[in-house]
Amino acid sequence: MTHTVAIVGRPNVGKSALFNRLAGKEISLVHDQPGVTRDRISHTCRFDGHAFELLDTGGIGLEDEQGFSAAIAQEVEIALASASDILFVVDGRDGLTPLDEEIGRKLRKEKRRVIVVVNKLDVPKLDGILDEFHQFGIGEMVAISSAHGRGIDDLLDTLTTPWSRDGGQVPEGETPLDPPIRLSFLGRPNVGKSSLVNALLEDSRTIVSPIAGTTRDAVDVPFTWKGRAFTLIDTAGMRQKRKVHDPLEAKMTGRSAHTINRANVCVLVLDAMDGVHMQDKKIGGLIHEAVRPCLIVINKWDLVREQGDASKKKEQEYLDAIRNDLFFLEYAPVIFGSAKTGERVDHILRAVEKIELNRRRKIGTAALNDFLQKAQERQSPPLVNNRRFKIYYATHQIDEAPPPPTPTLVCFINSRKLLVPNYQRYLELQLREAFPLEGCPVRWIWREKDSLDAETKMSKIIGKQSGKSESAVSRTIRPRRYEGKAKPTHTEESQ
């Protein structure tokens, strides 16, 4: 039996802190300001052989000045409807409040199991406060401190012990064959990130409004498409630092940037009506610096169409502008679509599947070294201090757990100082023509290696594939030592 556990309560009682403590990582945004959590945030947890889906929710009864109270209440209702168990969190230091009593009366009517979690009891001498909360008429109650971890094991024992009787244990060591593809939607505020997530889900899973900054946290949403598991990560809009004065918004921006590092593919969302802003370039730069696969989505293309400009010529002009402004993301495919109308939304997942396939595809060692040898023959590296850059041997680093976030090539070379940026770019362009790498940046690892050892190793590999003897292959791949009429007895390049 699969269990879903919803954490509910009034604002600012520590629900998100408890969610993070049970999840074992900082997933939900925690801040002193009430009403920070708006969307449902979920995470799969494991404890003592049990697996369960944990849901964090917004505060019940929040009076939101921006008009999100109804939407937050709806998200809480959805979480309650899907939950098999409910953790009702109250603030032990505040004592019993009228809003707590109102929530307690509602939860008493639920036919599901409810545990009262009295939070912020940092020391045992405060446990006497528990008596005040017995009037809820809910039998199970646990004293905890989410901030300090006190009572968390007792809470998990109380939560999971009855599950052993209904067959709720997961076989030890059981893991999914194909882990979900983590897809992070990034961009400026109000470009339509949440709308795209909802369009993919065909459901109002995240709160959407015209107000910039509606999404405050990184919301992970499990999703299955054509039998393939995805995790869609909706993020808060990222504004320029000089425009951020609120500590909460600064924290939101930092968490959005953090999702880049845990994404398999980053989706950079642009507004078709605005073009490429400076902030779009900065967000794209963060993706590029993190060396993460990327897809660019031009949202709100329906608005361009309404103006009569959505022709193939207009698309090409827009594409040329994007390639010019985001030249460092030239490997990223571009999709023109609309979350509002659903136009080309399914193209996003198709492109992501292709990128994921390219990310995981193995480039054979013999094929890679043959390619690099021919690339160096077609275009010799420039002379630097009378020496040339040379690659003796290379391998595609993929047999790791987990695999690298993007195609990673380990190259054994004579000297890193001899590699000029233009020649590295030449090698990468040639590599993309020879192998399917669309959507993926290439991560180069340069290792200075003794030339004779590297050449001997490459000779063995290529020789096995071609059937030639090691000495014959070695003669063909060994770089020429000197080009000229008279061979000197000693040169710097021959060392």
Side-chain angles (χ1 to χ4, degrees):
M1 178 179 176
T2 302
H3 292 272
T4 301
V5 180
I7 302 176
V8 301
R10 62 182 175 82
N12 221 28
V13 293
K15 299 183 297 299
S16 294
L18 175 59
F19 178 91
N20 290 341
R21 179 67 69 171
L22 294 176
K25 58 180 73 174
E26 294 292 323
I27 297 175
S28 197
L29 181 61
V30 177
H31 196 271
D32 293 337
Q33 180 178 322
V36 170
T37 303
R38 287 174 173 169
D39 297 287
R40 275 173 289 149
I41 298 174
S42 63
H43 181 74
T44 300
C45 300
R46 289 178 178 268
F47 176 76
D48 196 22
H50 298 279
F52 59 96
E53 193 70 16
L54 187 65
L55 303 177
D56 188 17
T57 64
I60 298 175
L62 173 70
E63 295 181 3
D64 191 280
E65 295 179 356
Q66 294 181 309
F68 291 110
S69 300
I72 294 171
Q74 183 181 8
E75 291 293 306
V76 175
E77 290 297 329
I78 293 172
L80 286 173
S82 63
S84 58
D85 301 80
I86 300 169
L87 301 181
F88 173 27
V89 183
V90 294
D91 188 330
R93 291 184 177 272
D94 286 352
L96 188 62
T97 68
L99 185 52
D100 290 328
E101 292 178 337
E102 181 182 338
I103 298 171
R105 284 193 295 270
K106 179 179 179 180
L107 294 179
R108 269 202 309 271
K109 299 176 183 177
E110 296 285 343
K111 295 182 180 180
R112 282 150 299 169
R113 181 165 165 248
V114 179
I115 301 173
V116 178
V117 181
V118 186
N119 192 23
K120 304 185 183 180
L121 301 185
D122 304 333
V123 292
K125 67 179 182 180
L126 296 174
D127 288 354
I129 298 173
L130 292 176
D131 295 338
E132 186 176 354
F133 294 96
H134 278 299
Q135 61 179 287
F136 284 139
I138 300 172
E140 295 178 290
M141 187 177 299
V142 181
I144 71 159
S145 170
S146 297
H148 298 91
R150 177 177 179 258
I152 297 299
D153 287 342
D154 293 338
L155 173 60
L156 286 168
D157 285 334
T158 303
L159 178 64
T160 60
T161 296
W163 296 351
S164 302
R165 297 191 290 270
D166 60 23
Q169 281 201 316
V170 176
E172 188 175 348
E174 182 179 291
T175 56
L177 295 177
D178 291 313
I181 301 173
R182 295 186 300 278
L183 198 57
S184 181
F185 290 79
L186 300 145
R188 294 181 292 112
N190 221 24
V191 295
K193 300 180 296 297
S194 298
S195 297
L196 281 171
V197 170
N198 288 342
L200 288 168
L201 297 171
E202 297 182 349
D203 182 26
S204 299
R205 177 62 177 81
T206 57
I207 298 175
V208 176
S209 88
I211 301 173
T214 297
T215 302
R216 286 179 162 177
D217 206 349
V219 182
D220 291 21
V221 184
F223 173 58
T224 302
W225 182 72
K226 293 186 177 181
R228 188 69 170 91
F230 292 81
T231 298
L232 308 182
I233 309 174
D234 187 19
T235 65
M238 301 169 66
R239 294 203 299 164
Q240 297 181 39
K241 285 186 177 180
R242 63 183 177 83
K243 294 183 179 180
V244 176
H245 306 292
D246 182 4
L248 174 58
E249 185 176 357
K251 198 168 185 177
M252 288 159 46
T253 301
R255 289 178 64 81
S256 295
H258 175 68
T259 65
I260 295 174
N261 294 319
R262 62 187 185 95
N264 297 127
V265 180
C266 294
V267 180
L268 177 58
V269 184
L270 306 180
D271 190 324
M273 300 300 291
D274 293 344
V276 180
H277 281 223
M278 180 59 69
Q279 184 64 3
D280 296 322
K281 296 179 184 179
K282 290 183 177 179
I283 298 170
L286 291 174
I287 297 171
H288 182 67
E289 289 172 8
V291 199
R292 285 301 189 274
C294 182
L295 169 68
I296 300 173
V297 175
I298 312 302
N299 191 28
K300 305 183 184 180
W301 196 244
D302 57 310
L303 300 180
V304 178
R305 179 171 287 103
E306 288 176 4
Q307 297 180 354
D309 293 332
S311 62
K312 287 291 182 182
K313 182 179 179 181
K314 182 67 175 180
E315 273 193 21
Q316 188 58 49
E317 290 176 358
Y318 208 109
L319 182 59
D320 291 342
I322 290 172
R323 292 304 186 200
N324 181 63
D325 292 334
L326 300 175
F327 61 91
F328 46 86
L329 294 178
E330 61 182 356
Y331 53 84
V334 178
I335 294 176
F336 294 84
S338 168
K340 183 178 179 181
T341 65
E343 179 185 359
R344 298 177 185 169
V345 169
D346 60 328
H347 291 199
I348 297 174
L349 296 178
R350 293 177 193 171
V352 168
E353 279 198 319
K354 185 176 180 181
I355 293 172
E356 181 69 4
L357 183 64
N358 292 342
R359 184 178 79 90
R360 291 175 171 269
R361 183 182 277 111
K362 172 72 173 178
I363 301 175
T365 303
L368 177 61
N369 283 280
D370 183 58
F371 155 78
L372 289 172
Q373 177 192 342
K374 291 177 180 177
Q376 291 176 93
E377 290 173 353
R378 281 193 297 269
Q379 179 70 51
S380 297
L383 283 170
V384 178
N385 295 329
N386 207 34
R387 298 179 66 195
R388 292 188 192 276
F389 172 76
K390 296 171 186 174
I391 300 177
Y392 299 122
Y393 170 75
T395 182
H396 183 196
Q397 189 180 56
I398 196 170
D399 299 325
E400 298 180 358
T406 196
T408 301
L409 305 183
V410 181
C411 301
F412 297 91
I413 61 175
N414 57 345
S415 174
R416 179 70 177 85
K417 296 178 181 179
L418 301 179
L419 176 61
V420 297
N422 284 345
Y423 196 75
Q424 180 172 333
R425 176 172 169 75
Y426 158 74
L427 289 175
E428 185 162 328
L429 289 174
Q430 294 291 307
L431 188 72
R432 292 189 182 281
E433 290 183 8
F435 303 101
L437 293 168
E438 185 182 24
C440 300
V442 177
R443 180 169 169 246
W444 300 86
I445 297 177
W446 308 105
R447 292 181 181 170
E448 297 183 2
K449 183 73 175 176
D450 179 76
S451 62
L452 183 60
D453 290 346
E455 287 174 18
T456 301
K457 191 172 184 179
M458 188 166 69
S459 299
K460 291 180 179 179
I461 291 174
I462 299 179
K464 287 180 182 179
Q465 185 187 48
S466 63
K468 297 180 182 179
S469 67
E470 180 183 331
S471 59
V473 175
S474 180
R475 286 195 297 272
T476 64
I477 66 172
R478 183 172 290 117
R480 297 170 68 181
R481 298 293 185 187
Y482 177 73
E483 296 179 4
K485 294 181 179 180
K487 183 177 179 180
T489 57
H490 176 79
T491 66
E492 184 182 7
E493 187 175 354
S494 67
Q495 289 181 325

